[in-house]
Amino acid sequence: MKIIVRQSYLDRIEKYLGKDIIIVLTGQRRIGKSFLLKMVSEIKAKEFNNNIIYIDKEKKDFDFMKTYTDLNAYIDEHYRHGKTNYILVDEIQEIESFERTIRSYRTEPDAEVIVTGSNATMLSRELSSIIGGRYKEIYIQSLSYKEFLQFHNLQDSDDSLAKYIQFGGLPGLLRVGLDEDEAVEYQKDVYNTVLLKDVILRNKIRNVPFLENLVYFLADNVGKLISATSISKYMRSQGANIAPGTIIDYTKYLEDAYIIHKVNRYDIQGKRLFESNDKFYFEDNGIRNALVSGTREGDIEKVIENIVYQHLKQMGYEVTVGQLQVGEIDFVCTKKAGTKWLYVQVSYLIADEATRQREFGNLRAINDNYPKYVISMTPLLTQNDDNGITHIHLRRFLMADKLE
């Protein structure tokens, strides 16, 4: 099988090598972290003075490695003084008290440490408490649209975009192919693995049926304003009496496993975050579609919103949902500690004047000079300007590396 290199991530990893920093690759399982770690291993193994120590906790060969003492013993056995030792550990959260090993080898002058993990809270808590700011987290996302085209040998076209909207960006689809039945089966297998290993077992979930119903509810309501109280009321109407506190806990577990992302609301005029009613987006749009039996005509606006959100994150933006007195701004995006701002509205089609007034009018109500964009799938649109508001086709947006 042809090897597809995600060069942008390899470049980011290389940037932090040799700087006394632990590199942590985070993200959902089956999103490509292990492959990147193997690529680093293969690249560095070609250099004469390097020694590779590779540990894959998803392989049975490393089932014996339960705690940091097992990890220490294995590393010590394979360590070569006088060489640069690349200590590469895949799914390190499976090793108890792993942070003790990380702290020890970080200070070695001839060691580089790169690890992967699939639990956001645990990794940040353990590493920040032990080594403070001496680590760099690199968040690995599902395939961007450009990567999807490369992986599946497709040209940028409306048909390719439709495939991306439907199937999402799991790298493993390269092996499975884009046959709908086989793709959905694979996506559900990935989802079930992540849910079992990183949510149910790790957090000792007892009410598994409710957890599954919660995920389906979030998938069916992607991009809508939701609160724990509103979910609790809905579940009660379905015969399940679940307290809002439990819902908050469960959604946090799903966030920690990178299945979903919670996006807070931001008061644009008051310059503050709201404390209730957030939106949720899925890490992989294909998994979301598989859970709700594919895309539906009524879903397309929110599906596109999910894709735009993920691409804004790939561009490096911090993203919130904007709130104005006159209405909502889909995304408020910031970079460089809040010194760069832009606003994004997402629409399926700008087909009539009422839709245009809604999407463009909300942006015009923002009284500042930061860039403003409307992203849609309006036919024949390339890019145009409407009194300072840029209207750009979804395909063109997804092919861009930045919006400035």
Side-chain angles (χ1 to χ4, degrees), residues 166-401:
Q166 174 66 21
F167 294 108
L170 288 179
L173 288 176
L174 179 62
R175 299 189 305 272
V176 176
L178 299 182
D179 173 81
E180 183 172 355
D181 291 339
E182 293 183 7
V184 167
E185 182 179 357
Y186 173 73
Q187 289 159 340
K188 287 185 175 180
D189 285 345
V190 170
Y191 163 74
N192 288 328
T193 298
V194 176
L195 196 71
L196 177 63
K197 290 187 176 181
D198 295 323
V199 181
I200 295 171
L201 295 180
R202 182 164 300 283
N203 299 289
K204 299 179 174 61
I205 299 294
R206 295 182 179 180
N207 195 346
V208 175
F210 167 69
L211 175 67
E212 293 175 335
N213 287 336
L214 175 62
V215 178
Y216 294 141
F217 176 86
L218 294 173
D220 201 38
N221 291 275
V222 66
K224 295 181 180 179
L225 288 174
I226 294 172
S227 68
T229 301
S230 65
I231 296 175
S232 179
K233 289 180 179 178
Y234 171 78
M235 292 300 178
R236 193 177 300 119
S237 72
Q238 302 300 305
N241 190 14
I242 307 295
T246 301
I247 293 169
I248 291 172
D249 289 340
Y250 279 27
T251 53
K252 184 62 168 65
Y253 299 151
L254 294 168
E255 288 180 74
D256 286 346
Y258 299 96
I259 295 173
I260 61 171
H261 298 276
K262 183 176 77 171
V263 183
N264 301 115
R265 284 191 306 150
Y266 180 77
D267 182 353
I268 294 174
Q269 294 164 323
K271 305 297 182 184
R272 62 187 176 88
L273 287 173
F274 288 102
E275 295 181 355
S276 63
N277 288 340
D278 307 301
K279 289 189 176 185
F280 292 89
Y281 297 98
F282 273 68
E283 168 61 38
D284 182 72
N285 195 62
I287 286 179
R288 180 265 167 198
N289 290 339
L291 292 176
V292 294
S293 301
T295 58
R296 295 166 296 175
E297 185 177 350
D299 283 344
I300 187 63
E301 194 111 357
K302 295 306 178 183
V303 170
I304 295 173
E305 202 172 299
N306 200 123
I307 290 171
V308 170
Y309 166 77
Q310 286 296 348
H311 194 61
L312 288 168
K313 295 294 289 183
Q314 286 161 347
M315 288 177 164
Y317 290 105
E318 294 297 320
V319 181
T320 55
V321 175
Q323 188 66 51
L324 291 164
Q325 289 183 349
V326 297
E328 180 185 292
I329 303 299
D330 289 327
F331 299 121
V332 179
C333 310
T334 60
K335 258 188 182 181
K336 296 186 177 179
T339 59
K340 290 190 176 183
W341 290 68
L342 58 85
Y343 305 98
V344 175
Q345 286 285 75
V346 181
S347 181
Y348 173 39
L349 298 174
I350 307 294
D352 53 46
E353 189 58 28
T355 305
R356 174 172 288 276
Q357 287 300 321
R358 181 182 71 245
E359 303 298 349
F360 285 79
N362 286 356
L363 290 172
R364 292 192 188 100
I366 303 173
N367 189 27
D368 64 37
N369 295 318
Y370 291 114
K372 300 172 179 68
Y373 294 86
V374 172
I375 298 170
S376 79
M377 292 181 65
T378 303
L380 305 180
L381 172 70
T382 54
Q383 181 171 322
N384 63 38
D385 181 87
D386 187 321
N387 294 319
I389 298 173
T390 303
H391 187 190
I392 184 171
H393 194 279
L394 179 63
R395 271 176 53 198
R396 182 160 182 169
F397 165 72
L398 293 176
M399 293 295 289
D401 295 323

Side-chain angles (χ1 to χ4, degrees), residues 26-205:
T26 61
Q28 182 185 286
R29 288 182 192 261
R30 303 295 183 266
I31 219 70
K33 304 187 304 295
S34 300
F35 184 81
L36 285 166
L37 200 64
K38 289 174 182 175
M39 288 295 297
V40 172
S41 173
E42 292 175 5
I43 291 169
K44 296 304 177 182
K46 295 176 182 178
E47 300 175 9
F48 172 73
N49 204 41
N50 292 339
N51 178 50
I52 309 300
I53 303 172
Y54 194 99
I55 298 159
D56 184 352
K57 274 300 292 173
E58 291 207 313
K59 302 294 187 188
K60 60 182 176 56
D61 293 347
F62 293 98
D63 282 347
F64 72 91
M65 196 173 287
K66 305 295 185 183
T67 72
Y68 79 99
T69 56
D70 301 323
L71 180 58
N72 287 345
Y74 185 87
I75 293 173
D76 287 343
E77 179 184 351
H78 294 84
Y79 206 88
R80 299 293 179 265
H81 292 283
K83 292 193 171 188
T84 299
N85 291 270
Y86 283 84
I87 302 170
L88 312 176
V89 187
D90 199 11
E91 298 297 348
I92 198 169
Q93 79 275 355
E94 305 294 338
I95 302 173
E96 183 181 342
S97 300
F98 68 87
E99 66 277 4
R100 297 189 182 188
T101 298
I102 296 299
R103 177 177 59 184
S104 175
Y105 286 99
R106 183 188 68 81
T107 59
E108 294 293 330
D110 55 356
E112 298 282 355
V113 182
I114 309 175
V115 302
T116 80
S118 301
N119 186 282
T121 294
M122 190 198 68
L123 287 168
S124 61
R125 181 185 66 238
E126 304 300 347
L127 290 176
S128 61
S129 65
I130 292 295
I131 60 176
R134 302 307 299 170
Y135 75 98
K136 177 62 180 179
E137 177 183 338
I138 299 177
Y139 166 44
I140 312 300
Q141 295 179 252
S142 59
L143 299 179
S144 68
Y145 176 57
K146 287 200 294 185
E147 289 175 324
F148 178 84
L149 296 178
Q150 181 187 13
F151 267 56
H152 297 285
N153 195 27
L154 298 171
Q155 298 296 314
D156 176 30
S157 67
D158 287 344
D159 182 63
S160 295
L161 177 60
K163 287 183 170 65
Y164 183 63
I165 290 172
Q166 174 66 21
F167 294 108
L170 288 179
L173 288 176
L174 179 62
R175 299 189 305 272
V176 176
L178 299 182
D179 173 81
E180 183 172 355
D181 291 339
E182 293 183 7
V184 167
E185 182 179 357
Y186 173 73
Q187 289 159 340
K188 287 185 175 180
D189 285 345
V190 170
Y191 163 74
N192 288 328
T193 298
V194 176
L195 196 71
L196 177 63
K197 290 187 176 181
D198 295 323
V199 181
I200 295 171
L201 295 180
R202 182 164 300 283
N203 299 289
K204 299 179 174 61
I205 299 294

